[in-house]
Amino acid sequence: MTDTVIYSARKILTMNPNQPVVSHVAVRDGRILGAGALSDLEPWGDYTLDDRFADKVLMPGFVEGHAHTMEGTLWRNTYVGWFDRMDPDGKMWSGLKTIDAVLERLKEADSELSDPDAPLSGWSLDPIYMNNERVNRHHLDQVSTARPIGVLHASGHILNVNSKALELAGLLKTGVNHQGIPLGDDGLPTGELYGPDAMTPVGEHVGFDRAMTDCDERGLRDYGKLCVRSGVTTCTDLAARLTDDSVSMMLRVTGEDSYPAIIVPLRVFFGMSAEEIVAYVLELKEKSTERLRLGRIKAVADGSIQGFSARMRWPGYHNGSPNGLWYTPPEQMLDLYKRALAAGVQVHTHTNGDQATQMALDMLEPALKANPSPDHRFVLQHCQLADAAQFRKMKTLDMCVNLFANHHFYWGDEHYRLTVGPERAERMNACRTALDTGVPMAIHSDAPVTPLGPLFTAWAAVNRITASGRTQGEGEKITVDQALQAITLGAAYTLHMDSEVGSIEVGKKADFAVLEDDPTALDPMALKDIAVWGTVQGGRIFAASDL
């Protein structure tokens, strides 16, 4: 008989309503043999009692339903974000509060590059906090006019480049006519690139040649470290190209005994027709393993609210900015939904603006009439500005939602002041409305847009505190228990994985987040400060201190 290990803990929060709190959990073959009191588990036979977690609190391993493994790769570039942030090795990088400070850090990075032709890549730029001043090629030309420079915005939807990068891409000329490439008074591109159509051709010249959302081998390994540090045992990679080479790499890396998480990559709906991508992900699905789950699609309807590229219904942006971009036109979305439903392929759709959400709803309804699917679980990702009527429609269509709770902290003040105004900012990421309407809900970080950290995300949904310390949207707060559900079983449900992960109960994977404190016993304001000891994934133990 295979060895059985019974772990004791100060407290085990199971997310199983039949026994929400237990003291012990038995593990065999990487799965949960049972949970309960020691006396409940002893009849399973011989066992080893492991007390290493006797002073810890165990929860189901956190499930991050919207993130990007590219964060692991981005850390090899220059961080220029507004907020302080920890890298995969535990180093804290200070946030930058002015454009001049951003340029200084880029100049430091430029001086450290020995190859004069090598690109300089930065990431997490957030000019909305810097009086919303638009960064252009002339700013970046102050760093260098000889090497190509590209700086990705925190949203991931905008890329700023210098003149050399535009020159290499053949775009430093008059007559460019593209909605994602604004022009200056001189008729030349300003160096601001909006959306994948505009960003991709230049990205290859500024160090983003793996597309804007792909990781490499080292990046995937580094991302695994971030998962352990944040208690995550199942994580999406929600918009990857999934080429033959990248899939082979991900299969190899996640197949190693030392890899600490299940990765769920979604093929982004870009560069293929609806017919082609559905056929492609069906082929990919056959390659799935225990720690690499393939076979889903990510569609992107619009852009970023704080980048003013999201699609807004009337009355539009609070500051009068023009409406955003359609990344996927309605007719293409309808075609994708019809074909995916017919093939049994799940689609997650990025919708930031409320017009984008409405478009997705309007396209899914006829697609479902043509191809009824009682358990499709199509997910609206972000869905930040949905109103109560749109949530009711989601319920009617049996959709799920994954709300961007972290936005309240990171951009709530700017949404209130600048992008959407007070009334819509108060209802953004309407967790309470989603639950009250009966829409299955998860909450997320969208790492690297904000740092991977489900306990922080839970804190954000429970407290709705902005960076300035205001409470924004009292009526949309949820309870601690509901937030913990959203980062475990709720997120697992949106991935059709709730039979495997998301709760601590017999038959499921032995996936645990190991915490230093009990999130149900602390002041809700302390949720984000709970230290994560590490994780257990498939019965394998990973301590953050060993990374």
Side-chain angles (χ1 to χ4, degrees):
M1 180 179 292
T2 303
D3 290 343
T4 298
V5 179
I6 298 180
Y7 295 100
S8 64
R10 171 159 54 110
K11 191 174 187 179
I12 300 175
L13 305 173
T14 68
M15 309 311 295
N16 175 5
N18 293 319
Q19 49 173 17
V21 178
V22 299
S23 59
H24 293 75
V25 58
V27 175
R28 181 189 294 171
D29 292 333
R31 298 171 67 183
I32 297 167
L33 186 61
L38 181 60
S39 59
D40 297 328
L41 304 176
E42 286 180 320
W44 283 107
D46 294 341
Y47 65 89
T48 299
L49 182 63
D50 192 322
D51 291 327
R52 77 179 72 195
F53 302 135
D55 62 342
K56 311 298 182 191
V57 174
L58 300 185
M59 281 192 64
F62 298 139
V63 181
E64 174 53 88
H66 189 140
H68 306 272
T69 60
M70 66 183 286
E71 173 157 4
T73 300
L74 284 176
W75 275 110
R76 300 206 301 280
N77 300 325
T78 303
Y79 176 69
V80 295
W82 173 269
F83 294 93
D84 296 349
R85 190 157 178 168
M86 184 181 293
D87 69 19
D89 294 321
K91 177 182 177 180
M92 186 65 73
W93 290 78
S94 60
L96 304 177
K97 306 306 182 185
T98 66
I99 291 176
D100 284 344
V102 169
L103 298 179
E104 282 304 311
R105 184 169 287 179
L106 290 172
K107 288 176 182 177
E108 292 172 11
D110 174 69
S111 67
E112 295 172 1
L113 292 175
S114 56
D115 182 350
D117 298 320
L120 174 59
S121 309
W123 67 287
S124 204
L125 180 65
D126 221 349
I128 196 169
Y129 277 112
M130 304 168 189
N131 298 316
N132 201 37
E133 182 179 351
R134 295 173 68 171
V135 177
N136 57 49
R137 61 186 173 89
H138 301 297
H139 287 103
L140 298 181
D141 286 348
Q142 296 175 42
V143 178
S144 176
T145 56
R147 77 168 75 252
I149 301 173
V151 182
L152 193 63
H153 279 222
S155 69
H157 290 269
I158 303 170
L159 180 67
N160 286 114
V161 299
N162 68 345
S163 298
K164 185 64 174 181
L166 290 171
E167 176 190 329
L168 291 173
L171 291 173
L172 193 62
K173 61 184 180 181
T174 59
V176 175
N177 182 18
H178 189 289
Q179 63 175 349
I181 306 178
L183 305 178
D185 293 338
D186 57 3
L188 298 173
T190 63
E192 302 165 281
L193 305 171
Y194 292 81
D197 283 349
M199 294 159 64
T200 301
V202 189
E204 64 182 82
H205 299 289
V206 294
F208 295 111
D209 54 341
R210 298 186 62 83
M212 299 298 158
T213 55
D214 286 21
C215 70
D216 57 12
E217 180 171 336
R218 178 180 165 187
L220 186 58
R221 295 184 192 281
D222 284 346
Y223 194 77
K225 296 179 183 179
L226 292 171
C227 287
V228 173
R229 292 187 187 279
S230 58
V232 171
T233 54
T234 298
C235 190
T236 53
D237 187 4
L238 211 81
R241 290 182 302 172
L242 296 181
T243 63
D244 289 343
D245 287 345
S246 65
V247 171
S248 295
M249 179 273 291
M250 296 179 91
L251 285 168
R252 176 168 45 79
V253 172
T254 60
E256 295 170 356
D257 289 342
S258 59
Y259 198 77
I262 298 171
I263 301 297
V264 186
L266 281 70
R267 207 302 179 174
V268 66
F269 183 36
F270 181 69
M272 286 185 174
S273 69
E275 181 178 13
E276 289 168 339
I277 195 170
V278 169
Y280 186 64
V281 299
L282 286 173
E283 292 178 9
L284 288 178
K285 188 175 183 179
E286 298 301 312
K287 299 180 180 180
S288 292
T289 64
E290 282 295 300
R291 290 197 289 276
L292 189 70
R293 304 303 181 87
L294 300 159
R296 299 166 178 83
I297 294 171
K298 162 77 175 295
V300 183
D302 67 341
S304 156
I305 299 171
Q306 69 272 24
F308 301 97
S309 58
R311 291 292 302 191
M312 307 288 286
R313 295 189 298 187
W314 187 89
Y317 284 104
H318 190 56
N319 70 341
S321 290
N323 210 350
L325 307 175
W326 286 123
Y327 285 15
T328 304
E331 62 275 10
Q332 291 182 19
M333 195 73 78
L334 176 60
D335 189 26
L336 174 66
Y337 285 171
K338 284 183 176 179
R339 293 180 183 276
L341 287 167
V345 172
Q346 189 190 31
V347 178
H348 292 234
T349 305
H350 161 122
T351 68
N352 261 320
D354 50 2
Q355 188 180 56
T357 292
Q358 192 62 47
M359 184 269 275
L361 296 172
D362 289 345
M363 295 304 102
L364 184 59
E365 186 168 24
L368 278 169
K369 288 179 179 178
N371 299 280
S373 179
D375 193 31
H376 60 83
R377 302 191 203 181
F378 276 28
V379 183
L380 291 182
Q381 293 281 355
H382 302 327
C383 199
Q384 295 203 73
L385 286 171
D387 63 17
Q390 290 177 321
F391 278 105
R392 289 191 289 270
K393 191 65 173 181
M394 291 176 221
K395 173 65 174 175
T396 300
L397 297 176
D398 293 321
M399 298 192 79
C400 304
V401 69
N402 193 339
L403 297 171
F404 199 169
N406 285 16
H407 245 260
H408 310 310
F409 178 77
Y410 285 96
W411 292 283
D413 291 320
E414 303 309 306
H415 292 319
Y416 190 98
R417 176 184 71 86
L418 190 66
T419 66
V420 300
E423 182 177 351
R424 288 178 292 180
E426 293 278 342
R427 77 156 194 250
M428 287 182 75
N429 296 293
C431 294
R432 168 57 51 205
T433 297
L435 292 179
D436 288 351
T437 309
V439 177
M441 184 195 77
I443 52 180
H444 66 266
S445 68
D446 196 15
V449 178
T450 71
L452 183 68
L455 287 172
F456 181 95
T457 303
W459 171 86
V462 169
N463 296 288
R464 293 182 69 96
I465 301 294
T466 69
S468 69
R470 294 186 306 107
T471 297
Q472 187 159 291
E474 182 73 33
E476 290 295 346
K477 288 181 176 180
I478 59 175
T479 68
V480 170
D481 287 344
Q482 289 167 335
L484 297 179
Q485 174 88 3
I487 60 174
T488 54
L489 202 53
Y493 183 87
T494 67
L495 299 172
H496 286 276
M497 292 182 67
D498 50 309
S499 64
E500 299 181 72
V501 298
S503 60
I504 298 176
E505 54 186 309
V506 62
K508 290 196 172 184
K509 292 184 180 299
D511 289 4
F512 313 133
V514 184
L515 311 179
E516 298 288 358
D517 285 300
D518 177 3
T520 66
L522 301 177
D523 185 314
M525 280 296 291
L527 268 178
K528 65 180 176 59
D529 301 317
I530 295 174
V532 176
W533 179 91
T535 59
V536 179
Q537 198 287 311
R540 300 166 304 135
I541 297 171
F542 299 93
S545 60
D546 292 340
L547 298 177

